[in-house]
Amino acid sequence: MLLNLTFSACYSSVSNTEILYSTAIKKTVEVRCYDTKDKIGYATGCVVANDGKILTNKHVIMSNDGFFRYIEVRFFDNDDFIPAIILKVSETDDLALLKIEYKTEEIFTIGRGVKGGESIFIIGNPNGFGLSFSEGTVSAPLRYVKYNEKEIKTTQISIIINEGNSGGPLFNANGELIGLITFRLRNSSGEIIQGVSFALHYSVIKQFLE
């Protein structure tokens, strides 16, 4: 008796999100800042140039007495932190540019726009726990929000962010940088409203880097 058998190949496919993650994680760094090691602050940064320039928030590198004495970054596949220096900060927007002694081909490029409802992604360092990847949508492509007594251009996103995510990249499905995670919305009592998060608008980043 002859049996008609159908065979199919067994293989594992890699999703676009997995590819996006594996690429973007190489362009993102943990940031830690301190004056003394008994009190360390953690945040995130984005590699934006081949010679080791890293973008983050200005408030990340600021203490109550000025800039932190020590600023260091670490890549996802390295156990050691690399010392960083401050190249420049924005006096009007919450941006800072750091520099480390490091050469890389893995850098973020700035996107050309952002759309409401668009699928977006972030990488952050929540509470200093290590680089973590999250997915969400654009809630509003452009919001003018009052922050530190100044109105700034932001993109509102649905992703819940935590302490340590500041300075992390907001990027699209093409891996382009379209924002920098900066702050969360609070109510009149100072409590955090979950899922209402803001990133500095890509146009603000582009102008700062240029």
Side-chain angles (χ1 to χ4, degrees):
M1 180 178 181
L2 297 177
L3 298 177
N4 291 323
L5 301 178
T6 301
F7 296 92
S8 61
C10 295
Y11 64 92
S12 60
S13 61
V14 179
S15 70
N16 290 337
T17 304
E18 289 175 271
I19 296 171
L20 189 62
Y21 165 84
S22 63
T23 303
I25 198 79
K26 299 173 185 176
K27 307 172 185 177
T28 311
V29 294
E30 299 175 51
V31 178
R32 74 177 184 185
C33 305
Y34 58 94
D35 291 318
T36 60
K37 283 200 173 182
D38 60 338
K39 189 175 182 180
I40 298 177
Y42 293 94
T44 317
C46 315
V47 183
V48 291
N50 301 110
D51 61 352
K53 291 186 179 73
I54 293 169
L55 184 70
T56 190
N57 288 129
K58 180 181 177 181
H59 76 256
V60 163
I61 60 172
M62 296 288 293
S63 69
N64 293 332
D65 302 318
F67 294 112
F68 281 105
R69 184 178 179 185
Y70 301 103
I71 303 170
E72 301 169 334
V73 308
R74 181 168 66 180
F75 287 84
F76 81 104
D77 57 353
N78 199 326
D79 292 332
D80 299 321
F81 280 88
I82 304 170
I85 61 171
I86 302 169
L87 283 187
K88 71 172 182 174
V89 297
S90 170
E91 296 301 325
T92 55
D93 299 300
D94 192 5
L95 287 169
L97 190 64
L98 308 178
K99 175 75 166 60
I100 60 173
E101 291 299 321
Y102 191 84
K103 302 293 184 183
T104 179
E105 297 300 317
E106 303 290 347
I107 65 170
F108 279 106
T109 56
I110 310 299
R112 296 184 179 181
V114 57
K115 299 176 182 178
E118 181 179 358
S119 294
I120 42 87
F121 311 86
I122 70 166
I123 295 177
N125 182 23
N127 296 303
F129 191 65
L131 295 180
S132 304
F133 176 89
S134 299
E135 180 179 1
T137 57
V138 173
S139 303
L142 178 61
R143 288 260 196 240
Y144 285 90
V145 179
K146 194 171 184 180
Y147 177 66
N148 288 341
E149 304 304 318
K150 181 185 179 296
E151 195 173 67
I152 60 175
K153 291 172 71 174
T154 71
T155 295
Q156 181 186 332
I157 62 173
S158 66
I159 303 173
I160 295 174
I161 62 174
N162 300 284
E163 299 290 338
N165 282 31
S166 289
L170 169 67
F171 50 100
N172 59 22
N174 295 322
E176 298 168 325
L177 187 68
I178 55 171
L180 198 74
I181 300 301
T182 302
F183 61 94
R184 300 165 288 185
L185 186 65
R186 297 176 183 267
N187 62 22
S188 58
S189 301
E191 299 169 328
I192 295 167
I193 300 175
Q194 298 291 352
V196 185
S197 307
F198 297 89
L200 287 177
H201 197 263
Y202 76 94
S203 62
V204 177
I205 296 171
K206 185 177 181 180
Q207 184 177 16
F208 175 73
L209 293 178
E210 290 177 347

